[in-house]
Amino acid sequence: MPLRFYNTLSSRVEEFQPLEPNKVRMYTCGLTVYDYAHIGNYRTFIFQDILRRHLRYRGYEVLHVMNLTDVDDNTIRGAKAAGIPLRDFTDKYINAFEVDAQLLNLQRPEIVVRATDHVDDMVKLIQVLEAKGFAYRSDGSVYFSVRDFPGYGKLAQIDLSGLRAGARVDSDKYDKTDPRDFVLWKAAKEDEPYWDSPLGRGRPGWHIECSVMSMKYLGETFDIHSGGSDLVFPHHENEIAQSEAATGKPFVRYWLHGEHLIVNGEKMSKSLGNFFTLRDLIAKGHKPTAIRYLLASVPFRKPLNFTFDGLHQAQQSIDRLRNFRYRLTMEKFPAGESSELQERARAARQAFEDALDDNLNTAEALAAIFDLVRDANTAMDRREFHDSDRAAFLDVLERWDRIFAVLEDNDHTKLLKFGFIATVEKSRAADAVISKEGGSGVTPNGYTSAVLTEALADEEIEKRIAERNAARRRGDFASADKIRAELLAAGVILEDTKAGTRWKRK
Ligand code: AMP
Ligand code: ZN
């Protein structure tokens, strides 16, 4: 079966055919950088990461552009409250976003761009809209005239009969399904950043930013545009209006929208205050790969309810897969191979690939791999698994993980790298800095000291395990048990398997 996506524009599942046979051009609306992203935002970014990984898996070259909204109502308000220039304010959250993205194994899009670096291009596009009669000026601002663009409402399926002549809106985000003339260029206000331009002194509206940055790097018509479902209206509807009015060409061919992460029936959002950032969850001891797994586990068009129980289960699922891979690599099996098991591996690969081709059905892709693990474990226990079956199973796991990216046990290394945890010595040094700075609780990396915990380095753990094994070989079980207990106290759990001693952090 070919690759298929649900296209919001046609309200149907469609076969995917990019404009150019082997290349996909796609745009994703990135973060509005006025605060740390919450894991609802990351549900959408992980869905988009799985999309780009699967396109690449299927052999397409992907040109992926993501913007960072670093000027809008929220960022301006935040910079003002912090009493610092807009650029300095947004820099902080862009840096934090880059760290989070690496922790969550998000592949970096080929092009990541900031809105404030494209203001001249925005002015030019607004001038084109004015020249073509789709925009008008009022009180120093420029507005898009919705009634002059016949296709308005086609994405969100908005009924224009409620459109009141001259009704316009200045805010970037406004009510669902209320069609109004929206602002393209906002007249400068006191105390707000502005740009001098032929349109007057002011700043761009939010929607024009994405039309400009997407078309600049991807062309007037491109393949995929995506975001969370809250962006369908007004943001994406307005992007279509601006772009198609200016170029006279179709803007985007496939619109993909992800459903929300919800908490007790409500969308996780800043305004409701029901959110967790990635660093909130890290501080509670959760691992980024478990968070990635949880957020990827439900197909993108279904709502996902966040619970700590779900997060705990996600961690257990990852442990199960990692343990299986360890067994597959380390255990001794009888020589030879079994055609039945080879066929089983082939079928599992087919099943997970088919599931992802079907509008990225991640739940089925997960089920396919767990069925395989169960069957393989049974075969191993019955001594029916052979040495030469190993490669086929490892190959399926490796392919599956090109998309899911959770098998490598690298959380600890990354958390150390980015200063969320520290080795004992480093943590003392950081504490010294904190007390010198008057106990603000913030480390030089900007992370709160609550997040900073002490940890044994991997090499230290391996060394202790080797000592324990030596003790056991000598029959000195008291020493062996003591080492196990000490490691446990430091948060390291040992597991003795047929293939050797495996360890993990609590
Ligand atoms: P923003 O920073 O508000 O522009 O949002 C960045 C991305 O996160 C957009 O694609 C939003 O649609 C998405 N988003 C915001 N809240 C949620 C949520 N609770 N669940 C899933 N995606 C979300
Ligand atoms: Zn956008």
Side-chain angles (χ1 to χ4, degrees):
M1 285 285 266
L3 180 54
R4 306 143 353 255
F5 296 128
Y6 182 90
N7 186 349
T8 313
L9 190 59
S10 64
S11 314
R12 281 192 301 115
V13 175
E14 293 177 31
E15 186 175 322
F16 177 67
Q17 297 276 8
L19 271 177
E20 221 182 291
N22 297 315
K23 183 162 179 174
V24 178
R25 292 180 173 80
M26 85 171 192
Y27 184 85
T28 54
C29 291
L31 195 66
T32 308
V33 282
Y34 71 104
D35 203 345
Y36 296 109
H38 58 66
I39 57 165
N41 300 129
Y42 287 123
R43 178 179 190 203
T44 295
F45 296 134
I46 288 169
F47 137 57
Q48 292 160 341
D49 184 63
I50 286 184
L51 169 63
R52 62 165 281 137
R53 283 171 181 267
H54 189 55
L55 288 166
R56 293 175 80 188
Y57 185 91
R58 282 311 197 194
Y60 293 108
E61 180 194 338
V62 174
L63 178 59
H64 176 188
V65 177
M66 184 178 76
N67 75 299
L68 296 165
T69 300
D70 62 349
V71 54
D72 80 325
D73 299 345
N74 285 322
T75 44
I76 289 175
R77 202 178 305 128
K80 226 190 220 178
I84 53 175
L86 183 64
R87 188 93 183 178
D88 295 344
F89 178 74
T90 56
D91 272 351
K92 173 178 169 190
Y93 296 110
I94 290 175
N95 291 339
F97 179 53
E98 304 255 352
V99 169
D100 286 5
Q102 289 187 53
L103 288 170
L104 290 170
N105 287 340
L106 296 176
Q107 285 182 347
R108 192 177 165 79
E110 283 64 31
I111 300 178
V112 179
V113 280
R114 296 172 76 141
T116 51
D117 292 334
H118 296 76
V119 175
D120 288 347
D121 297 310
M122 295 171 201
V123 170
K124 283 192 197 118
L125 193 70
I126 297 170
Q127 287 177 312
V128 171
L129 290 171
E130 272 194 319
K132 293 195 171 187
F134 291 103
Y136 61 91
R137 298 193 184 202
S138 178
D139 300 332
S141 295
V142 186
Y143 296 87
F144 187 92
S145 172
V146 166
R147 60 172 54 224
D148 289 313
F149 179 69
Y152 196 84
K154 65 183 173 185
L155 182 72
Q157 277 146 38
I158 298 287
D159 175 7
L160 283 189
S161 57
L163 177 63
R164 286 170 292 136
R168 24 171 244 253
V169 60
D170 285 296
S171 60
D172 284 326
K173 304 197 174 176
Y174 52 97
D175 266 2
K176 269 195 175 114
T177 69
D178 181 6
R180 285 196 252 170
D181 290 351
F182 56 90
V183 70
L184 297 165
W185 185 258
K186 298 194 193 200
K189 283 195 199 136
E190 210 164 313
D191 278 0
E192 287 199 351
Y194 62 82
W195 284 259
D196 281 314
S197 85
L199 303 169
R201 180 171 280 192
R203 57 146 171 131
W206 175 37
H207 315 295
I208 198 74
E209 299 179 6
C210 283
S211 283
V212 163
M213 288 182 278
S214 58
M215 292 197 291
K216 174 164 180 147
Y217 297 100
L218 299 171
E220 292 176 339
T221 302
F222 57 93
D223 299 304
I224 300 179
H225 194 315
S226 86
S229 62
D230 55 311
L231 298 190
V232 174
F233 188 87
H235 186 50
H236 289 163
E237 192 69 58
N238 292 353
E239 279 188 46
I240 294 177
Q242 298 160 150
S243 308
E244 297 192 352
T247 68
K249 295 181 190 151
F251 175 44
V252 168
R253 303 173 63 243
Y254 301 86
W255 285 94
L256 272 58
H257 290 103
E259 268 316 316
H260 290 140
L261 183 68
I262 53 181
V263 189
N264 298 326
E266 285 187 299
K267 177 188 171 206
M268 179 176 283
S269 70
K270 300 259 163 63
S271 52
L272 290 173
N274 60 351
F275 64 91
F276 293 103
T277 64
L278 184 60
R279 42 209 77 210
D280 290 337
L281 295 182
I282 290 170
K284 286 178 184 290
H286 300 285
K287 309 241 178 90
T289 43
I291 296 163
R292 178 179 168 98
Y293 182 102
L294 174 67
L295 296 176
S297 63
V298 171
F300 73 94
R301 292 199 64 242
K302 291 204 173 125
L304 164 56
N305 192 38
F306 175 77
T307 62
F308 281 98
D309 203 31
L311 188 51
H312 184 65
Q313 283 171 24
Q315 183 64 59
Q316 285 182 329
S317 301
I318 293 180
D319 288 346
R320 204 160 154 234
L321 292 172
R322 289 179 182 165
N323 283 338
F324 172 68
R325 191 169 66 164
Y326 184 77
R327 188 175 187 192
L328 201 51
T329 326
M330 303 298 286
E331 195 165 322
K332 290 208 164 40
F333 301 118
E337 67 174 39
S338 130
S339 58
E340 212 177 293
L341 285 167
Q342 297 284 325
E343 173 53 27
R344 184 68 195 83
R346 204 198 54 74
R349 172 177 160 186
Q350 178 85 40
F352 97 73
E353 291 176 351
D354 284 352
L356 292 170
D357 282 348
D358 179 13
N359 199 33
L360 303 177
N361 191 334
T362 49
E364 277 195 20
L366 287 175
I369 216 73
F370 278 103
D371 285 351
L372 182 75
V373 170
R374 189 198 52 227
D375 292 352
N377 272 325
T378 308
M380 288 172 183
D381 292 344
R382 291 191 186 142
R383 308 303 292 158
E384 288 165 9
F385 199 95
H386 291 86
D387 197 43
S388 302
D389 294 326
R390 240 187 260 275
F393 282 71
L394 281 170
D395 181 59
V396 181
L397 280 185
E398 184 275 322
R399 285 172 173 278
W400 178 89
D401 202 48
R402 276 189 226 165
I403 315 285
F404 283 89
V406 293
L407 287 184
E408 204 189 329
D409 196 352
N410 59 9
D411 288 305
H412 183 75
T413 315
K414 287 193 194 165
L415 291 173
L416 268 178
K417 176 176 163 197
F418 294 120
F420 284 94
I421 50 178
T423 52
V424 177
E425 304 83 80
K426 273 202 207 139
S427 131
R428 288 203 185 106
D431 281 346
V433 173
I434 291 165
S435 53
K436 240 197 287 175
E437 286 178 352
S440 68
V442 176
T443 69
N445 292 331
Y447 303 125
T448 58
S449 58
V451 179
L452 202 66
T453 54
E454 294 182 349
L456 287 178
D458 289 5
E459 308 82 68
E460 179 67 18
I461 296 170
E462 306 278 355
K463 200 176 117 217
R464 300 292 284 153
I465 290 175
E467 284 166 12
R468 173 171 172 265
N469 287 340
R472 284 167 62 179
R473 276 196 300 275
R474 302 195 292 275
D476 178 2
F477 295 106
S479 300
D481 287 347
K482 186 161 167 272
I483 293 172
R484 176 195 275 272
E486 283 165 4
L487 286 172
L488 187 64
V492 177
I493 301 169
L494 302 189
E495 207 179 321
D496 293 316
T497 73
K498 282 182 206 149
T501 305
R502 216 162 132 37
W503 62 268
K504 63 178 184 186
R505 294 176 199 275
K506 260 201 276 199

